[in-house]
Amino acid sequence: MMRDQYIFSNGRLKRKHNTIYFENEKQQKKPLPVEKIRTLHLFGEIDINSKLLSFISQYGIFLQFYNYYGFYTGAFYPREKKESGFVIVKQSEHYLNENKRLYLAYCFIESSIHHILRNLRNYRPDTEEAILEIEILRGKLQNAATVQELMGIEGQVRQVYYQTFNYILKQDFVLDKREKRPPRDPVNAMISFGNTLLYTVVLSEIYKTALNPTISYLHEPSMKRYSLSLDLAEIFKPLIVDPVIFSLINRRQLTQKHFDYLEGEICYLNDEGKKKFITVWEEKLKSSVKHRTLKRHATYRYLIRLECYKLIKHFIGDEVYKPLKAWW
């Protein structure tokens, strides 16, 4: 079974014979079976060379790089193997056509709000007022004439949603407001870390299809980011990231001791905190539900891939895209 591998120590990755090894600063070596690795997440300072990159490309292994504080810094992806000029042309057409783009942007936000409400219903009656407020905002989506208007409504929904975290979270964790750059408290640090992990998973699933990750609909395409992964991540943030955070805090798996501060302001998960977060994160991605169309169990990770396939069918005219809305 393919899996993600996380490395937190400083050291070197190198090829030896027909596999790769991680050698830490104490020159202790650990073999990494290339046949079973999907993605290597590197949180330490890691030395690599072109020989290694060429070797792991043969196995389709992705490298994701993070700095000491857990912030995403970049990636290495093997050469694309499933390129399709036809799909890229059709994908571009749906961006250039204002109505087609607006429909897809609407779908991503509609699905996100569906999952936000799904979370809040689990914490009634404390969240009842927020549910009603978000339902009213949700009703305004269909009247939005531009992507900017949709994002404005989504921003209002998020603001209401994040205010409910103080009803949901136990211990002494408080979220005054969402702060991304940089996160200044433990809850914001967890949201940012979880979202970063989600972006990398979504991007790796996009790369396994014929989609181009730079052509997006809700978020404006940019030369500096794979914006389609941001679009699809909107669906899965409240479905995957937020429940992981609620579980970690309310089950006391993460406490204040798992966070450090840089210059007294920037809050981030320390190594122990990252490891605990990733353990629950991987469990969530591996958990599965009975899919109503496939008639078999599908993991949360595979649900992300299915969204990519549904988009392709939409672009080529096979089937109108309907975003995931959790039914379980």
Side-chain angles (χ1 to χ4, degrees):
M1 184 176 179
M2 302 296 288
R3 67 172 187 266
D4 284 19
Q5 184 85 34
Y6 299 83
I7 296 177
F8 296 92
S9 306
N10 298 335
R12 176 188 298 272
L13 276 173
K14 58 184 180 180
R15 174 184 178 179
K16 186 174 182 181
H17 304 306
N18 289 319
T19 191
I20 55 177
Y21 282 80
F22 173 69
E23 183 180 299
N24 63 21
E25 294 177 312
K26 298 179 181 179
Q27 296 186 330
Q28 297 170 324
K29 297 180 180 179
K30 178 182 178 180
L32 303 174
V34 290
E35 299 88 354
K36 298 181 179 180
I37 294 177
R38 176 175 42 232
T39 303
L40 278 169
H41 299 266
L42 308 177
F43 289 89
E45 295 182 5
I46 309 295
D47 294 330
I48 59 177
N49 57 35
S50 58
K51 181 180 179 181
L52 172 81
L53 296 178
S54 177
F55 180 65
I56 64 173
S57 291
Q58 298 173 29
Y59 289 88
I61 296 174
F62 304 129
L63 298 182
Q64 303 286 358
F65 297 92
Y66 308 81
N67 64 17
Y68 177 79
Y69 307 105
F71 302 133
Y72 183 70
T73 57
F76 167 79
Y77 287 91
R79 186 173 64 86
E80 296 177 65
K81 298 180 179 179
K82 297 187 177 182
E83 297 170 332
S84 169
F86 179 67
V87 170
I88 293 174
V89 167
K90 292 298 182 181
Q91 188 179 346
S92 302
E93 285 180 2
H94 280 73
Y95 168 76
L96 295 171
N97 184 297
E98 187 175 337
N99 290 330
K100 291 181 178 180
R101 179 185 179 188
L102 187 64
Y103 172 74
L104 289 170
Y106 167 84
C107 286
F108 297 140
I109 292 180
E110 168 65 15
S111 174
S112 175
I113 294 177
H114 173 86
H115 294 135
I116 283 173
L117 290 169
R118 178 176 178 269
N119 286 345
L120 294 182
R121 292 186 185 107
N122 291 329
Y123 296 93
R124 280 171 162 164
D126 292 335
T127 59
E128 193 65 52
E129 185 176 338
I131 290 172
L132 294 174
E133 191 172 349
I134 291 174
E135 287 283 16
I136 292 172
L137 289 169
R138 185 185 196 179
K140 296 179 179 181
L141 289 177
Q142 292 185 341
N143 297 323
T146 66
V147 172
Q148 289 70 32
E149 287 182 41
L150 285 174
M151 294 193 76
I153 296 170
E154 191 266 348
Q156 294 177 62
V157 170
R158 284 276 171 186
Q159 187 174 9
V160 175
Y161 178 48
Y162 286 134
Q163 289 173 356
T164 68
F165 276 37
N166 294 330
Y167 297 113
I168 296 171
L169 300 176
K170 299 177 182 178
Q171 301 188 61
D172 54 348
F173 286 90
V174 176
L175 180 65
D176 291 327
K177 63 178 180 178
R178 178 73 178 111
E179 295 179 303
K180 302 178 184 178
R181 302 181 182 89
R184 299 183 184 277
D185 59 73
V187 180
N188 271 299
M190 281 187 285
I191 295 172
S192 293
F193 186 68
N195 288 349
T196 295
L197 292 177
L198 178 61
Y199 295 145
T200 64
V201 171
V202 173
L203 186 54
S204 68
E205 294 304 315
I206 290 174
Y207 260 88
K208 294 168 186 172
T209 72
L211 291 173
N212 185 305
T214 65
I215 304 172
S216 55
Y217 308 93
L218 178 60
H219 298 83
E220 196 65 39
S222 169
M223 292 178 62
K224 297 182 179 179
R225 63 182 182 181
Y226 298 112
S227 45
L228 184 59
S229 64
L230 304 182
D231 282 4
L232 287 171
E234 292 299 325
I235 296 172
F236 294 96
K237 285 178 185 177
L239 186 60
I240 301 177
V241 178
D242 298 343
V244 166
I245 294 172
F246 300 158
S247 175
L248 282 164
I249 292 179
N250 292 345
R251 294 182 180 180
R252 298 185 179 276
Q253 292 171 277
L254 282 182
T255 62
Q256 295 290 341
K257 72 176 184 179
H258 295 111
F259 299 86
D260 290 331
Y261 290 84
L262 176 63
E263 298 178 350
E265 293 188 359
I266 303 175
C267 184
Y268 61 95
L269 283 154
N270 56 33
D271 281 353
E272 184 181 357
K274 291 190 194 84
K275 291 174 183 177
K276 287 182 176 293
F277 193 108
I278 287 169
T279 297
V280 177
W281 171 258
E282 285 293 324
E283 289 173 356
K284 184 71 173 179
L285 289 178
K286 292 175 184 175
S287 61
S288 63
V289 296
K290 183 69 175 293
H291 199 279
R292 293 187 296 189
T293 304
L294 299 178
K295 306 300 181 183
R296 61 180 174 83
H297 277 80
T299 65
Y300 276 76
R301 178 185 284 273
Y302 193 66
L303 290 174
I304 298 173
R305 178 99 59 90
L306 289 176
E307 289 304 293
C308 297
Y309 292 149
K310 285 157 61 178
L311 280 176
I312 292 173
K313 289 183 178 181
H314 178 78
F315 294 144
I316 65 177
D318 280 357
E319 188 176 314
V320 175
Y321 176 68
K322 300 294 183 183
L324 173 69
K325 292 184 179 180
W327 60 86
W328 57 92

